[in-house]
Amino acid sequence: MKKNLTLVVAVLFLAPAVFANNWGLGLKVGVGQNDPKDIKKFDSMLTAPKNSLDEEHFFSGLEAMYEIDLDNESNKIGIRLGYEGFGENKAEKSAKTISGSLITEEEIALEEETYAIPVTIYYKKDNGVNKLSYFAGIGATFVRSKLTYSEEEEVETIAGIDISETGYSESLSKGKIFPHIVLGAEYRFTELFALGLEAKYNIGAKVKKDGWVLSDRSGISGALTARFYF
């Protein structure tokens, strides 16, 4: 994935000068819908002494874009390719028991990792420097989620001598493509820099495998993006 993003960036920087100001790169941070149903169920089944549940609604990402001028550059048709990485959803239990001269420490966890690659085609009403421009678009997102169950156990004596250490993990992963709708605006501070705010609605973004819900990003998300044009 990192190699693909590097290639996209390299191609953009090598674009001919005739396309100047129609190419761009963006840095994005956002927050969105996130419903880790099965992780919540797993957490509800974990018992004392120590449990924790992390639900992460934030994401960050990169985007590359190209815009075609219409009507003396006041209107544009554009395409954006992005990468978004989501924070982990995680439920875990840790326990420590003492039996005679032995101390046993146990950790059990269910953890989700998800990333997305959205492609959006949009129309933008470009109002120029020091003004707000508006855009609306539709597109498709490829999302991939991985759900991992893990166990770890360490046994040592009260004196601190290690006796044994065991571990086990198993994971499910799956990708899915779903549609999305985007509405937003950006303020152009200079010819080279703009700050954009957008709302996106993901349609049917639930990823399931073998009866497990790996992730569910369906619904509304919002993002703030710093865009650099050249």
Side-chain angles (χ1 to χ4, degrees), residues 38-103:
D38 285 350
I39 290 182
K40 290 178 181 178
K41 292 178 184 177
F42 177 79
D43 180 69
S44 68
M45 293 186 294
L46 296 178
T47 56
K50 186 177 179 182
N51 295 355
S52 66
L53 173 64
D54 296 326
E55 296 181 56
E56 185 59 75
H57 292 269
F58 291 95
F59 63 90
S60 60
L62 303 171
E63 66 179 23
M65 73 201 84
Y66 176 68
E67 297 178 343
I68 300 172
D69 296 327
L70 304 172
D71 303 334
N72 297 321
E73 300 184 4
S74 62
N75 299 305
K76 299 177 184 290
I77 296 292
I79 183 169
R80 290 181 186 147
L81 171 64
Y83 172 82
E84 298 172 355
F86 297 88
E88 290 182 346
N89 292 314
K90 186 175 184 179
E92 61 182 349
K93 167 195 169 182
S94 60
K96 184 176 183 178
T97 59
I98 300 176
S99 178
S101 62
L102 298 180
I103 301 173

Side-chain angles (χ1 to χ4, degrees), residues 32-46 52-58 86-92 110-114 145-148 205-208 211-218:
Q33 295 280 22
N34 171 30
D35 190 3
K37 293 180 175 65
D38 285 350
I39 290 182
K40 290 178 181 178
K41 292 178 184 177
F42 177 79
D43 180 69
S44 68
M45 293 186 294
L46 296 178
S52 66
L53 173 64
D54 296 326
E55 296 181 56
E56 185 59 75
H57 292 269
F58 291 95
F86 297 88
E88 290 182 346
N89 292 314
K90 186 175 184 179
E92 61 182 349
L110 190 64
E111 186 175 353
E112 174 218 318
E113 298 174 286
T114 297
S145 296
K146 181 180 179 181
L147 194 63
T148 302
K206 181 187 290 186
V207 182
K208 298 179 67 176
W212 287 83
V213 177
L214 275 59
S215 70
D216 190 356
R217 308 285 169 169
S218 303

Side-chain angles (χ1 to χ4, degrees), residues 18-39:
V18 68
F19 294 128
N21 206 38
N22 289 65
W23 294 86
L25 295 174
L27 302 175
K28 176 184 294 186
V29 292
V31 61
Q33 295 280 22
N34 171 30
D35 190 3
K37 293 180 175 65
D38 285 350
I39 290 182

Side-chain angles (χ1 to χ4, degrees), residues 48-218:
K50 186 177 179 182
N51 295 355
S52 66
L53 173 64
D54 296 326
E55 296 181 56
E56 185 59 75
H57 292 269
F58 291 95
F59 63 90
S60 60
L62 303 171
E63 66 179 23
M65 73 201 84
Y66 176 68
E67 297 178 343
I68 300 172
D69 296 327
L70 304 172
D71 303 334
N72 297 321
E73 300 184 4
S74 62
N75 299 305
K76 299 177 184 290
I77 296 292
I79 183 169
R80 290 181 186 147
L81 171 64
Y83 172 82
E84 298 172 355
F86 297 88
E88 290 182 346
N89 292 314
K90 186 175 184 179
E92 61 182 349
K93 167 195 169 182
S94 60
K96 184 176 183 178
T97 59
I98 300 176
S99 178
S101 62
L102 298 180
I103 301 173
T104 301
E105 295 187 18
E106 180 186 33
E107 292 187 0
I108 300 174
L110 190 64
E111 186 175 353
E112 174 218 318
E113 298 174 286
T114 297
Y115 69 85
I117 301 176
V119 178
T120 305
I121 297 174
Y122 61 95
Y123 165 81
K124 181 166 77 174
K125 176 64 176 176
D126 193 341
N127 293 316
V129 177
N130 295 327
K131 294 181 181 179
L132 275 174
S133 297
Y134 304 93
F135 59 86
I138 60 173
T141 299
F142 171 77
V143 65
R144 187 166 186 84
S145 296
K146 181 180 179 181
L147 194 63
T148 302
Y149 172 81
S150 61
E151 297 179 359
E152 292 184 4
E153 183 181 85
E154 295 182 5
V155 180
E156 64 179 21
T157 66
I158 292 178
I161 300 173
D162 292 334
I163 302 297
S164 65
E165 182 175 341
T166 59
Y168 168 79
S169 68
E170 184 176 358
S171 63
L172 294 172
S173 61
K174 187 177 180 180
K176 182 178 182 179
I177 297 175
F178 59 86
H180 65 256
I181 302 169
V182 177
L183 294 173
E186 68 176 26
Y187 187 84
R188 194 75 168 259
F189 291 91
T190 69
E191 287 291 337
L192 299 178
F193 177 72
L195 198 60
L197 184 65
E198 68 180 46
K200 181 167 68 171
Y201 189 83
N202 294 326
I203 303 169
K206 181 187 290 186
V207 182
K208 298 179 67 176
K209 185 175 182 180
D210 296 345
W212 287 83
V213 177
L214 275 59
S215 70
D216 190 356
R217 308 285 169 169
S218 303

Side-chain angles (χ1 to χ4, degrees), residues 6-22:
T6 302
L7 180 60
V8 170
V9 173
V11 170
L12 290 174
F13 276 109
L14 292 175
V18 68
F19 294 128
N21 206 38
N22 289 65

